[in-house]
């Protein structure tokens, strides 16, 4: 007998879309998400395509759909440990990692006031710190705190501060067994590790950041409350360089084009221009890929007299004066080697599939880690190839339809 329940692994925009489309078609759905919140990478953006609007406007609608649909159940801080069985009849073991905060949490924040231990803020890509007990971000869903035990000293002050008995330092990991008929694998992507591109100095030079870090700097809910500032001194940058294909289209790193990096830079030029009308911006590129309607965005940026496009791959970034940086690059249009000083550098790092280093039962992958063929598990969104948000939503809807077909079509 075919089990008509569907499992969605990953609670980002692709996972949410697949889950909700299937649930609203009448199917029971489980979502398994490793983070303590739903929303994935989209939740970390300042604005996203195609409308260039804040992510909470789109995610909030999906969270409301989840609240209003009893067919959707979700597990956060959870991971799939094993999958057995066959299409239509899977046995899945899911590990639930302890949050150390239970359902009584009202997100009042008294626990944070009592906590003295700190940790790097993962949501803000390490640009700030949180307490060991923390709310993942301002619009977190579920709106509950969690404790990072790697940073906690178990002093118990948060327990004493909580009047709702929501903090449980003795909480332990447990497992649940799920029986489902189809699985949608929607674990998304991660930014390529810029530290691997040693000649760009990420991690050595404070003012070399990545494109995802700039998203958090530009966000009102970010570590600088929306101000784009140099990490080294908190100063306003007067000159900024965007380095395209940082680790992408490179056999030593990511051999493929991530499709969205050029668009992200064009969008982020807008962030800079809004705050610093007179800032000088340099874009070093191999090709600018802005297809279809995004060609208009490219044309708009090209008209900006304070934006300089240099066709050439940056060879090295070295320290300059007063925390500044110097980029060495051959301008392919002139054949001359340039040494361009700037205040800050933004590396347009690519999208690496989160599946690259893990085993997915029933799915084969190509050499870059993307889902290559769909068998017993259906890939959705950026596990299959780099995509922008709108394309991801369409792809995830298609994955939901395939999952419905696996479990036997209509009810």
């Amino acid at each position: 007998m075919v089990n008509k329940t569907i499992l969605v692994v990953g609670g980002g925009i692709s996972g949410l879309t697949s889950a909700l489309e299937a649930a609203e078609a009448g199917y029971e759905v489980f979502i398994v998400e490793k983070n303590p919140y739903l929303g994935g990478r989209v939740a970390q953006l300042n604005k996203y395509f195609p409308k260039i609007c804040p992510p909470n406007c789109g995610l909030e609608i999906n969270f409301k759909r989840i609240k209003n649909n009893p067919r959707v159940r979700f597990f956060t801080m959870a991971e799939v440990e094993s999958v057995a069985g066959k299409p239509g009849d899977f046995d899945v073991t899911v590990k639930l990692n302890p949050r150390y905060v239970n359902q009584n949490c009202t997100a009042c924040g008294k626990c944070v006031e009592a906590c003295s231990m700190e940790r790097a803020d993962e949501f803000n890509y390490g640009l700030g710190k949180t307490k060991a007990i923390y709310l993942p971000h301002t619009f977190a869903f579920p709106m509950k705190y969690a404790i990072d035990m790697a940073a906690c000293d178990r002093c118990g002050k948060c327990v004493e501060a909580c009047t709702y008995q929501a903090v449980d330092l003795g909480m332990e990991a447990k497992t649940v067994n799920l029986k489902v008929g189809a699985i949608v694998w929607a674990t998304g992507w991660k930014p390529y590790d810029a530290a691997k591109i040693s000649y760009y100095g990420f991690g050595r030079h404070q003012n070399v950041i990545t494109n995802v870090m700039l998203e958090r700097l530009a966000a009102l809910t970010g570590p600088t409350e929306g101000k784009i500032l140099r990490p080294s001194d908190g100063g306003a940058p007067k000159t900024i360089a965007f380095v395209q294909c940082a680790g992408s289209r490179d056999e030593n790193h990511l051999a493929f084009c991530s499709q969205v990096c050029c668009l992200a830079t064009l969008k982020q030029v807008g962030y800079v221009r809004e705050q610093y009308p007179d800032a000088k911006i340099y874009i070093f590129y191999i090709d600018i890929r802005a297809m279809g309607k995004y060609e208009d965005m490219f044309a708009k940026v090209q008209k900006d007299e304070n934006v300089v496009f240099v066709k050439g791959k940056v060879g090295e970034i070295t320290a300059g004066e007063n925390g500044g940086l110097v980029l060495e690059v051959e301008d392919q249009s002139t054949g001359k080697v340039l040494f361009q000083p700037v205040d800050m550098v933004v590396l347009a790092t690519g999208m690496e599939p989160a599946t690259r280093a893990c085993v997915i039962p029933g799915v084969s992958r190509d050499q870059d880690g993307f889902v290559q063929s769909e068998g017993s598990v259906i890939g959705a969104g950026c596990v299959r190839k780099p995509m922008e948000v709108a394309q991801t939503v369409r792809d995830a809807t298609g994955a939901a339809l395939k999952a419905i077909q696996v479990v036997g079509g209509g009810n």
Side-chain angles (χ1 to χ4, degrees):
M1 182 176 177
V2 174
N3 189 314
K4 292 187 177 295
T5 301
I6 296 170
L7 170 65
V8 177
V9 184
I13 192 65
S14 57
L16 291 175
T17 300
S18 291
L20 286 165
E21 293 298 327
E24 290 172 0
Y27 294 86
E28 301 292 326
V29 179
F30 292 109
I31 302 174
V32 172
E33 167 57 46
K34 69 175 182 178
N35 286 319
Y37 60 91
L38 301 180
R41 296 287 173 191
V42 169
Q44 293 175 284
L45 298 177
N46 174 40
K47 296 179 181 180
Y48 69 104
F49 299 108
K51 295 182 180 180
I52 315 299
C53 60
N56 54 296
C57 67
L59 290 175
E60 186 178 36
I61 293 171
N62 284 327
F63 297 155
K64 185 176 181 179
R65 291 166 72 190
I66 289 176
K67 288 180 179 179
N68 292 338
N69 197 321
R71 293 189 179 93
V72 180
R73 288 185 59 194
F74 64 87
F75 303 96
T76 54
M77 301 191 74
E79 54 191 313
V80 173
E81 284 196 322
S82 66
V83 177
K86 60 184 179 180
D89 185 22
F90 287 112
D91 290 302
V92 182
T93 301
V94 176
K95 179 182 179 182
L96 305 180
N97 294 302
R99 180 185 283 265
Y100 303 104
V101 175
N102 62 35
Q103 296 294 334
N104 296 337
C105 180
T106 64
C108 69
K110 294 294 183 182
C111 55
V112 173
E113 296 174 8
C115 183
S116 61
M117 306 301 291
E118 291 186 331
R119 63 187 280 277
D121 186 351
E122 295 176 353
F123 188 80
N124 285 319
Y125 297 103
L127 287 167
K129 292 183 180 295
T130 73
K131 295 296 182 66
I133 188 165
Y134 65 99
L135 187 67
H137 63 94
T138 307
F139 299 105
F141 182 85
M143 184 64 72
K144 290 198 305 181
Y145 281 77
I147 296 178
D148 183 346
M149 274 301 169
C152 178
D153 63 358
R154 292 182 177 270
C155 68
K157 292 180 181 178
C158 57
V159 178
E160 298 171 4
C162 182
T163 58
Y164 301 98
Q165 298 181 327
V167 182
D168 181 1
L169 298 181
M171 192 177 289
E172 297 181 349
K174 59 182 181 180
T175 60
V176 294
N177 296 311
L178 305 176
K179 290 188 175 295
V180 299
I183 301 173
V184 175
W185 205 276
T187 51
W189 62 280
K190 60 182 180 179
Y192 185 67
D193 183 1
K196 294 180 179 179
I197 320 167
S198 58
Y199 43 87
Y200 286 165
F202 179 80
R204 297 197 311 273
H205 307 312
Q206 278 188 280
N207 294 323
V208 175
I209 65 172
T210 65
N211 47 5
V212 291
M213 294 168 74
L214 183 61
E215 287 291 320
R216 296 312 305 152
L217 289 177
L220 292 175
T221 57
T224 56
E225 298 181 341
K227 291 295 291 181
I228 298 172
L229 303 172
R230 298 203 317 171
S232 66
D233 56 11
K238 296 180 179 179
T239 52
I240 297 179
F242 288 87
V243 177
Q244 300 308 109
C245 298
S248 296
R249 302 172 68 184
D250 187 330
E251 294 297 333
N252 296 314
H253 299 284
L254 300 179
F256 54 88
C257 170
S258 293
Q259 296 190 32
V260 301
C261 308
C262 290
L263 298 177
T265 290
L266 296 175
K267 175 187 67 172
Q268 291 176 347
V269 167
Y271 298 168
V272 175
R273 186 57 69 234
E274 288 175 3
Q275 295 188 24
Y276 306 113
D278 299 322
K280 195 77 171 182
I281 300 171
Y282 299 88
I283 300 176
F284 298 92
Y285 69 99
I286 299 174
D287 305 291
I288 296 295
R289 296 183 170 178
M291 307 299 289
K293 59 189 176 182
Y294 298 122
E295 182 72 21
D296 292 339
M297 180 182 292
F298 181 26
K300 180 180 178 180
V301 174
Q302 282 182 304
K303 293 177 182 177
D304 190 325
E305 294 180 352
N306 279 327
V307 176
V308 178
F309 286 86
V310 179
K311 185 174 177 61
K313 186 172 176 64
V314 173
E316 188 175 14
I317 299 174
T318 55
E321 297 180 357
N322 301 317
L325 303 151
V326 178
L327 294 84
E328 180 180 352
V329 58
E330 181 181 353
D331 185 341
Q332 293 183 16
S333 63
T334 65
K336 295 181 179 179
V337 176
L338 304 179
F339 294 88
Q340 181 61 56
V342 296
D343 294 330
M344 192 164 80
V345 171
V346 181
L347 302 178
T349 51
M351 301 172 71
E352 184 176 14
T355 57
R356 199 177 195 194
C358 68
V359 176
I360 308 174
V363 172
S364 61
R365 295 168 296 165
D366 64 19
Q367 62 184 6
D368 297 312
F370 293 103
V371 170
Q372 187 175 34
S373 60
E374 297 173 351
S376 58
V377 181
I378 302 160
C382 293
V383 295
R384 298 201 314 107
K385 63 178 182 178
M387 302 180 193
E388 49 140 334
V389 175
Q391 185 180 1
T392 296
V393 170
R394 292 192 296 270
D395 190 77
T397 300
L401 292 173
K402 292 176 181 177
I404 290 172
Q405 290 175 333
V406 170
V407 298
N411 288 328

